[in-house]
PDB file of all heavy atoms in Angstrom:
ATOM      1  N   ALA T1253      34.875 170.486 155.090  1.00  0.00           N
ATOM      2  CA  ALA T1253      33.969 169.424 155.618  1.00  0.00           C
ATOM      3  C   ALA T1253      32.597 170.042 155.857  1.00  0.00           C
ATOM      4  O   ALA T1253      31.621 169.413 155.440  1.00  0.00           O
ATOM      5  CB  ALA T1253      34.538 168.844 156.945  1.00  0.00           C
ATOM      6  N   ILE T1254      32.515 171.227 156.371  1.00  0.00           N
ATOM      7  CA  ILE T1254      31.217 171.866 156.632  1.00  0.00           C
ATOM      8  C   ILE T1254      30.562 172.244 155.290  1.00  0.00           C
ATOM      9  O   ILE T1254      29.376 172.177 155.142  1.00  0.00           O
ATOM     10  CB  ILE T1254      31.421 173.116 157.505  1.00  0.00           C
ATOM     11  CG1 ILE T1254      32.012 172.795 158.828  1.00  0.00           C
ATOM     12  CG2 ILE T1254      29.995 173.772 157.674  1.00  0.00           C
ATOM     13  CD1 ILE T1254      31.217 171.788 159.580  1.00  0.00           C
ATOM     14  N   ALA T1255      31.458 172.611 154.241  1.00  0.00           N
ATOM     15  CA  ALA T1255      30.863 172.935 152.939  1.00  0.00           C
ATOM     16  C   ALA T1255      30.203 171.677 152.321  1.00  0.00           C
ATOM     17  O   ALA T1255      29.130 171.771 151.736  1.00  0.00           O
ATOM     18  CB  ALA T1255      31.994 173.354 151.961  1.00  0.00           C
ATOM     19  N   LEU T1256      30.836 170.481 152.570  1.00  0.00           N
ATOM     20  CA  LEU T1256      30.226 169.248 152.048  1.00  0.00           C
ATOM     21  C   LEU T1256      28.874 168.898 152.831  1.00  0.00           C
ATOM     22  O   LEU T1256      27.865 168.628 152.167  1.00  0.00           O
ATOM     23  CB  LEU T1256      31.231 168.109 152.181  1.00  0.00           C
ATOM     24  CG  LEU T1256      32.421 168.055 151.285  1.00  0.00           C
ATOM     25  CD1 LEU T1256      33.382 166.917 151.605  1.00  0.00           C
ATOM     26  CD2 LEU T1256      31.909 167.795 149.768  1.00  0.00           C
ATOM     27  N   ILE T1257      28.917 169.026 154.132  1.00  0.00           N
ATOM     28  CA  ILE T1257      27.791 168.694 154.930  1.00  0.00           C
ATOM     29  C   ILE T1257      26.646 169.697 154.602  1.00  0.00           C
ATOM     30  O   ILE T1257      25.413 169.236 154.425  1.00  0.00           O
ATOM     31  CB  ILE T1257      28.117 168.783 156.434  1.00  0.00           C
ATOM     32  CG1 ILE T1257      29.157 167.661 156.855  1.00  0.00           C
ATOM     33  CG2 ILE T1257      26.833 168.699 157.304  1.00  0.00           C
ATOM     34  CD1 ILE T1257      29.650 167.757 158.158  1.00  0.00           C
ATOM     35  N   SER T1258      27.014 170.927 154.474  1.00  0.00           N
ATOM     36  CA  SER T1258      25.875 171.967 154.271  1.00  0.00           C
ATOM     37  C   SER T1258      25.346 171.901 152.843  1.00  0.00           C
ATOM     38  O   SER T1258      24.176 172.071 152.546  1.00  0.00           O
ATOM     39  CB  SER T1258      26.473 173.410 154.505  1.00  0.00           C
ATOM     40  OG  SER T1258      27.532 173.669 153.630  1.00  0.00           O
ATOM     41  N   SER T1259      26.152 171.394 151.860  1.00  0.00           N
ATOM     42  CA  SER T1259      25.717 171.208 150.576  1.00  0.00           C
ATOM     43  C   SER T1259      24.653 170.032 150.479  1.00  0.00           C
ATOM     44  O   SER T1259      23.621 170.028 149.815  1.00  0.00           O
ATOM     45  CB  SER T1259      26.849 170.995 149.527  1.00  0.00           C
ATOM     46  OG  SER T1259      27.372 169.668 149.600  1.00  0.00           O
ATOM     47  N   GLY T1260      25.074 168.991 151.234  1.00  0.00           N
ATOM     48  CA  GLY T1260      24.147 167.823 151.332  1.00  0.00           C
ATOM     49  C   GLY T1260      22.827 168.131 151.960  1.00  0.00           C
ATOM     50  O   GLY T1260      21.732 167.841 151.431  1.00  0.00           O
ATOM     51  N   LEU T1261      22.894 168.723 153.215  1.00  0.00           N
ATOM     52  CA  LEU T1261      21.714 169.183 153.859  1.00  0.00           C
ATOM     53  C   LEU T1261      20.860 170.146 153.175  1.00  0.00           C
ATOM     54  O   LEU T1261      19.627 170.062 153.080  1.00  0.00           O
ATOM     55  CB  LEU T1261      22.020 169.694 155.256  1.00  0.00           C
ATOM     56  CG  LEU T1261      22.753 168.841 156.209  1.00  0.00           C
ATOM     57  CD1 LEU T1261      23.094 169.568 157.561  1.00  0.00           C
ATOM     58  CD2 LEU T1261      21.853 167.567 156.532  1.00  0.00           C
ATOM     59  N   GLY T1262      21.606 171.113 152.393  1.00  0.00           N
ATOM     60  CA  GLY T1262      20.887 172.161 151.661  1.00  0.00           C
ATOM     61  C   GLY T1262      20.138 171.504 150.483  1.00  0.00           C
ATOM     62  O   GLY T1262      19.055 171.957 150.152  1.00  0.00           O
ATOM     63  N   THR T1263      20.757 170.594 149.843  1.00  0.00           N
ATOM     64  CA  THR T1263      20.161 169.884 148.698  1.00  0.00           C
ATOM     65  C   THR T1263      18.886 169.111 149.149  1.00  0.00           C
ATOM     66  O   THR T1263      17.840 169.152 148.453  1.00  0.00           O
ATOM     67  CB  THR T1263      21.227 168.873 148.002  1.00  0.00           C
ATOM     68  OG1 THR T1263      22.240 169.647 147.460  1.00  0.00           O
ATOM     69  CG2 THR T1263      20.479 168.208 146.824  1.00  0.00           C
ATOM     70  N   LEU T1264      18.972 168.457 150.202  1.00  0.00           N
ATOM     71  CA  LEU T1264      17.777 167.672 150.757  1.00  0.00           C
ATOM     72  C   LEU T1264      16.660 168.623 151.053  1.00  0.00           C
ATOM     73  O   LEU T1264      15.511 168.389 150.790  1.00  0.00           O
ATOM     74  CB  LEU T1264      18.220 166.872 152.004  1.00  0.00           C
ATOM     75  CG  LEU T1264      19.197 165.757 151.761  1.00  0.00           C
ATOM     76  CD1 LEU T1264      19.618 165.050 153.052  1.00  0.00           C
ATOM     77  CD2 LEU T1264      18.484 164.630 150.864  1.00  0.00           C
ATOM     78  N   ALA T1265      16.970 169.813 151.652  1.00  0.00           N
ATOM     79  CA  ALA T1265      15.989 170.771 151.975  1.00  0.00           C
ATOM     80  C   ALA T1265      15.342 171.340 150.658  1.00  0.00           C
ATOM     81  O   ALA T1265      14.179 171.565 150.550  1.00  0.00           O
ATOM     82  CB  ALA T1265      16.639 171.972 152.742  1.00  0.00           C
ATOM     83  N   PHE T1266      16.193 171.637 149.718  1.00  0.00           N
ATOM     84  CA  PHE T1266      15.712 172.052 148.326  1.00  0.00           C
ATOM     85  C   PHE T1266      14.755 171.017 147.729  1.00  0.00           C
ATOM     86  O   PHE T1266      13.701 171.374 147.289  1.00  0.00           O
ATOM     87  CB  PHE T1266      16.884 172.283 147.401  1.00  0.00           C
ATOM     88  CG  PHE T1266      16.511 172.715 146.016  1.00  0.00           C
ATOM     89  CD1 PHE T1266      16.395 174.101 145.686  1.00  0.00           C
ATOM     90  CD2 PHE T1266      16.332 171.786 145.036  1.00  0.00           C
ATOM     91  CE1 PHE T1266      15.954 174.486 144.428  1.00  0.00           C
ATOM     92  CE2 PHE T1266      15.946 172.154 143.744  1.00  0.00           C
ATOM     93  CZ  PHE T1266      15.824 173.522 143.433  1.00  0.00           C
ATOM     94  N   LEU T1267      15.126 169.733 147.719  1.00  0.00           N
ATOM     95  CA  LEU T1267      14.325 168.722 147.231  1.00  0.00           C
ATOM     96  C   LEU T1267      12.913 168.615 147.918  1.00  0.00           C
ATOM     97  O   LEU T1267      11.852 168.479 147.280  1.00  0.00           O
ATOM     98  CB  LEU T1267      15.007 167.369 147.236  1.00  0.00           C
ATOM     99  CG  LEU T1267      16.240 167.235 146.296  1.00  0.00           C
ATOM    100  CD1 LEU T1267      16.866 165.852 146.667  1.00  0.00           C
ATOM    101  CD2 LEU T1267      15.863 167.256 144.871  1.00  0.00           C
ATOM    102  N   LEU T1268      12.957 168.785 149.233  1.00  0.00           N
ATOM    103  CA  LEU T1268      11.773 168.767 150.005  1.00  0.00           C
ATOM    104  C   LEU T1268      10.776 169.987 149.742  1.00  0.00           C
ATOM    105  O   LEU T1268       9.658 169.792 149.498  1.00  0.00           O
ATOM    106  CB  LEU T1268      12.118 168.783 151.522  1.00  0.00           C
ATOM    107  CG  LEU T1268      10.976 168.645 152.569  1.00  0.00           C
ATOM    108  CD1 LEU T1268      10.275 167.361 152.405  1.00  0.00           C
ATOM    109  CD2 LEU T1268      11.442 168.892 153.913  1.00  0.00           C
ATOM    110  N   ILE T1269      11.410 171.084 149.652  1.00  0.00           N
ATOM    111  CA  ILE T1269      10.620 172.404 149.345  1.00  0.00           C
ATOM    112  C   ILE T1269      10.033 172.285 148.007  1.00  0.00           C
ATOM    113  O   ILE T1269       8.971 172.823 147.757  1.00  0.00           O
ATOM    114  CB  ILE T1269      11.507 173.595 149.699  1.00  0.00           C
ATOM    115  CG1 ILE T1269      11.777 173.751 151.134  1.00  0.00           C
ATOM    116  CG2 ILE T1269      10.847 174.819 149.099  1.00  0.00           C
ATOM    117  CD1 ILE T1269      12.774 174.819 151.533  1.00  0.00           C
ATOM    118  N   THR T1270      10.742 171.799 147.013  1.00  0.00           N
ATOM    119  CA  THR T1270      10.305 171.726 145.636  1.00  0.00           C
ATOM    120  C   THR T1270       9.447 170.467 145.414  1.00  0.00           C
ATOM    121  O   THR T1270       9.243 170.035 144.278  1.00  0.00           O
ATOM    122  CB  THR T1270      11.413 171.738 144.573  1.00  0.00           C
ATOM    123  OG1 THR T1270      12.356 170.676 144.886  1.00  0.00           O
ATOM    124  CG2 THR T1270      12.166 173.078 144.653  1.00  0.00           C
ATOM    125  N   GLN T1271       9.000 169.856 146.511  1.00  0.00           N
ATOM    126  CA  GLN T1271       8.072 168.675 146.376  1.00  0.00           C
ATOM    127  C   GLN T1271       8.700 167.537 145.655  1.00  0.00           C
ATOM    128  O   GLN T1271       7.945 166.763 144.992  1.00  0.00           O
ATOM    129  CB  GLN T1271       6.787 169.122 145.840  1.00  0.00           C
ATOM    130  CG  GLN T1271       6.021 170.202 146.558  1.00  0.00           C
ATOM    131  CD  GLN T1271       4.859 170.713 145.813  1.00  0.00           C
ATOM    132  OE1 GLN T1271       4.731 170.850 144.630  1.00  0.00           O
ATOM    133  NE2 GLN T1271       3.866 171.152 146.601  1.00  0.00           N
ATOM    134  N   PHE T1272       9.998 167.391 145.698  1.00  0.00           N
ATOM    135  CA  PHE T1272      10.787 166.324 145.043  1.00  0.00           C
ATOM    136  C   PHE T1272      10.396 166.270 143.489  1.00  0.00           C
ATOM    137  O   PHE T1272      10.304 165.111 142.891  1.00  0.00           O
ATOM    138  CB  PHE T1272      10.431 164.928 145.686  1.00  0.00           C
ATOM    139  CG  PHE T1272      10.986 164.864 147.057  1.00  0.00           C
ATOM    140  CD1 PHE T1272      10.264 165.203 148.163  1.00  0.00           C
ATOM    141  CD2 PHE T1272      12.322 164.494 147.228  1.00  0.00           C
ATOM    142  CE1 PHE T1272      10.768 165.125 149.457  1.00  0.00           C
ATOM    143  CE2 PHE T1272      12.908 164.443 148.545  1.00  0.00           C
ATOM    144  CZ  PHE T1272      12.066 164.692 149.594  1.00  0.00           C
ATOM    145  N   LYS T1273      10.236 167.434 142.899  1.00  0.00           N
ATOM    146  CA  LYS T1273       9.944 167.519 141.479  1.00  0.00           C
ATOM    147  C   LYS T1273      11.129 168.007 140.685  1.00  0.00           C
ATOM    148  O   LYS T1273      11.218 167.855 139.487  1.00  0.00           O
ATOM    149  CB  LYS T1273       8.814 168.498 141.237  1.00  0.00           C
ATOM    150  CG  LYS T1273       7.390 167.962 141.743  1.00  0.00           C
ATOM    151  CD  LYS T1273       6.303 168.914 141.565  1.00  0.00           C
ATOM    152  CE  LYS T1273       5.015 168.336 141.994  1.00  0.00           C
ATOM    153  NZ  LYS T1273       3.838 169.312 141.779  1.00  0.00           N
ATOM    154  N   VAL T1274      12.127 168.720 141.367  1.00  0.00           N
ATOM    155  CA  VAL T1274      13.265 169.383 140.616  1.00  0.00           C
ATOM    156  C   VAL T1274      14.547 168.710 140.969  1.00  0.00           C
ATOM    157  O   VAL T1274      15.030 168.760 142.115  1.00  0.00           O
ATOM    158  CB  VAL T1274      13.354 170.840 141.080  1.00  0.00           C
ATOM    159  CG1 VAL T1274      14.406 171.460 140.214  1.00  0.00           C
ATOM    160  CG2 VAL T1274      11.984 171.570 140.819  1.00  0.00           C
ATOM    161  N   PRO T1275      15.151 167.955 139.966  1.00  0.00           N
ATOM    162  CA  PRO T1275      16.358 167.257 140.264  1.00  0.00           C
ATOM    163  C   PRO T1275      17.599 168.171 140.142  1.00  0.00           C
ATOM    164  O   PRO T1275      18.131 168.396 139.065  1.00  0.00           O
ATOM    165  CB  PRO T1275      16.469 166.158 139.151  1.00  0.00           C
ATOM    166  CG  PRO T1275      15.686 166.708 137.972  1.00  0.00           C
ATOM    167  CD  PRO T1275      14.611 167.673 138.653  1.00  0.00           C
ATOM    168  N   ALA T1276      17.966 168.818 141.178  1.00  0.00           N
ATOM    169  CA  ALA T1276      19.068 169.715 141.214  1.00  0.00           C
ATOM    170  C   ALA T1276      19.986 169.551 142.481  1.00  0.00           C
ATOM    171  O   ALA T1276      19.486 168.976 143.522  1.00  0.00           O
ATOM    172  CB  ALA T1276      18.573 171.207 141.303  1.00  0.00           C
ATOM    173  N   TYR T1277      21.291 169.817 142.268  1.00  0.00           N
ATOM    174  CA  TYR T1277      22.191 169.774 143.447  1.00  0.00           C
ATOM    175  C   TYR T1277      22.632 171.153 143.825  1.00  0.00           C
ATOM    176  O   TYR T1277      22.962 171.940 142.851  1.00  0.00           O
ATOM    177  CB  TYR T1277      23.340 168.836 143.113  1.00  0.00           C
ATOM    178  CG  TYR T1277      24.084 168.484 144.353  1.00  0.00           C
ATOM    179  CD1 TYR T1277      23.879 167.298 145.061  1.00  0.00           C
ATOM    180  CD2 TYR T1277      25.142 169.327 144.881  1.00  0.00           C
ATOM    181  CE1 TYR T1277      24.469 167.009 146.217  1.00  0.00           C
ATOM    182  CE2 TYR T1277      25.748 169.054 146.060  1.00  0.00           C
ATOM    183  CZ  TYR T1277      25.450 167.899 146.778  1.00  0.00           C
ATOM    184  OH  TYR T1277      26.036 167.610 147.906  1.00  0.00           O
ATOM    185  N   LEU T1278      22.786 171.463 145.076  1.00  0.00           N
ATOM    186  CA  LEU T1278      23.219 172.766 145.491  1.00  0.00           C
ATOM    187  C   LEU T1278      24.588 172.712 146.122  1.00  0.00           C
ATOM    188  O   LEU T1278      24.869 171.880 147.066  1.00  0.00           O
ATOM    189  CB  LEU T1278      22.254 173.399 146.532  1.00  0.00           C
ATOM    190  CG  LEU T1278      20.951 174.008 145.941  1.00  0.00           C
ATOM    191  CD1 LEU T1278      20.019 172.940 145.405  1.00  0.00           C
ATOM    192  CD2 LEU T1278      20.230 174.954 146.905  1.00  0.00           C
ATOM    193  N   GLY T1279      25.595 173.478 145.583  1.00  0.00           N
ATOM    194  CA  GLY T1279      26.910 173.510 146.089  1.00  0.00           C
ATOM    195  C   GLY T1279      27.306 174.941 146.435  1.00  0.00           C
ATOM    196  O   GLY T1279      26.429 175.907 146.452  1.00  0.00           O
ATOM    197  N   SER T1280      28.574 175.203 146.808  1.00  0.00           N
ATOM    198  CA  SER T1280      29.101 176.444 147.204  1.00  0.00           C
ATOM    199  C   SER T1280      28.995 177.458 146.056  1.00  0.00           C
ATOM    200  O   SER T1280      29.353 177.192 144.978  1.00  0.00           O
ATOM    201  CB  SER T1280      30.514 176.363 147.695  1.00  0.00           C
ATOM    202  OG  SER T1280      30.718 175.339 148.709  1.00  0.00           O
ATOM    203  N   SER T1281      28.572 178.698 146.403  1.00  0.00           N
ATOM    204  CA  SER T1281      28.403 179.793 145.386  1.00  0.00           C
ATOM    205  C   SER T1281      29.749 180.623 145.266  1.00  0.00           C
ATOM    206  O   SER T1281      30.267 181.055 146.246  1.00  0.00           O
ATOM    207  CB  SER T1281      27.243 180.739 145.774  1.00  0.00           C
ATOM    208  OG  SER T1281      27.210 181.812 144.999  1.00  0.00           O
ATOM    209  N   PHE T1282      30.165 180.727 143.964  1.00  0.00           N
ATOM    210  CA  PHE T1282      31.330 181.580 143.678  1.00  0.00           C
ATOM    211  C   PHE T1282      31.013 183.088 143.745  1.00  0.00           C
ATOM    212  O   PHE T1282      31.972 183.795 144.041  1.00  0.00           O
ATOM    213  CB  PHE T1282      31.936 181.170 142.350  1.00  0.00           C
ATOM    214  CG  PHE T1282      32.715 179.908 142.395  1.00  0.00           C
ATOM    215  CD1 PHE T1282      32.058 178.701 142.321  1.00  0.00           C
ATOM    216  CD2 PHE T1282      34.073 179.943 142.628  1.00  0.00           C
ATOM    217  CE1 PHE T1282      32.764 177.516 142.225  1.00  0.00           C
ATOM    218  CE2 PHE T1282      34.804 178.725 142.647  1.00  0.00           C
ATOM    219  CZ  PHE T1282      34.161 177.515 142.548  1.00  0.00           C
ATOM    220  N   ALA T1283      29.756 183.437 143.596  1.00  0.00           N
ATOM    221  CA  ALA T1283      29.459 184.866 143.501  1.00  0.00           C
ATOM    222  C   ALA T1283      29.734 185.548 144.922  1.00  0.00           C
ATOM    223  O   ALA T1283      29.961 186.724 144.991  1.00  0.00           O
ATOM    224  CB  ALA T1283      27.931 185.010 143.188  1.00  0.00           C
ATOM    225  N   PHE T1284      29.707 184.734 145.940  1.00  0.00           N
ATOM    226  CA  PHE T1284      29.902 185.307 147.326  1.00  0.00           C
ATOM    227  C   PHE T1284      31.297 185.219 147.802  1.00  0.00           C
ATOM    228  O   PHE T1284      31.513 185.622 148.967  1.00  0.00           O
ATOM    229  CB  PHE T1284      28.934 184.519 148.360  1.00  0.00           C
ATOM    230  CG  PHE T1284      27.431 184.888 148.164  1.00  0.00           C
ATOM    231  CD1 PHE T1284      26.626 184.226 147.399  1.00  0.00           C
ATOM    232  CD2 PHE T1284      26.917 186.076 148.851  1.00  0.00           C
ATOM    233  CE1 PHE T1284      25.310 184.573 147.283  1.00  0.00           C
ATOM    234  CE2 PHE T1284      25.678 186.340 148.842  1.00  0.00           C
ATOM    235  CZ  PHE T1284      24.755 185.624 148.001  1.00  0.00           C
ATOM    236  N   ILE T1285      32.271 184.827 147.037  1.00  0.00           N
ATOM    237  CA  ILE T1285      33.596 184.640 147.572  1.00  0.00           C
ATOM    238  C   ILE T1285      34.117 186.005 148.081  1.00  0.00           C
ATOM    239  O   ILE T1285      34.585 186.098 149.267  1.00  0.00           O
ATOM    240  CB  ILE T1285      34.514 184.129 146.391  1.00  0.00           C
ATOM    241  CG1 ILE T1285      34.225 182.643 146.180  1.00  0.00           C
ATOM    242  CG2 ILE T1285      36.042 184.259 146.809  1.00  0.00           C
ATOM    243  CD1 ILE T1285      34.996 182.084 145.026  1.00  0.00           C
ATOM    244  N   ALA T1286      34.115 187.055 147.271  1.00  0.00           N
ATOM    245  CA  ALA T1286      34.655 188.345 147.643  1.00  0.00           C
ATOM    246  C   ALA T1286      33.874 188.895 148.789  1.00  0.00           C
ATOM    247  O   ALA T1286      34.458 189.394 149.834  1.00  0.00           O
ATOM    248  CB  ALA T1286      34.671 189.294 146.396  1.00  0.00           C
ATOM    249  N   PRO T1287      32.534 188.911 148.853  1.00  0.00           N
ATOM    250  CA  PRO T1287      31.751 189.413 150.008  1.00  0.00           C
ATOM    251  C   PRO T1287      32.078 188.652 151.336  1.00  0.00           C
ATOM    252  O   PRO T1287      32.161 189.263 152.347  1.00  0.00           O
ATOM    253  CB  PRO T1287      30.324 189.276 149.536  1.00  0.00           C
ATOM    254  CG  PRO T1287      30.317 189.252 148.019  1.00  0.00           C
ATOM    255  CD  PRO T1287      31.660 188.638 147.740  1.00  0.00           C
TER     256      PRO T1287
END
């Protein structure tokens, strides 16, 4: 549930910082699983 909420909030933050110019979605990173 937190992964979903944080992906939503993170994507909104990304869109805001990139001045709503970059259509991208941010989800959980697999590179950090082991760490």
Side-chain angles (χ1 to χ4, degrees):
I1254 302 300
L1256 287 174
I1257 293 169
S1258 60
S1259 76
L1261 296 177
T1263 298
L1264 292 173
F1266 177 89
L1267 293 173
L1268 182 64
I1269 290 169
T1270 56
Q1271 302 172 326
F1272 293 94
K1273 292 180 179 180
V1274 183
Y1277 194 93
L1278 280 73
S1280 306
S1281 171
F1282 283 86
F1284 283 93
I1285 291 175

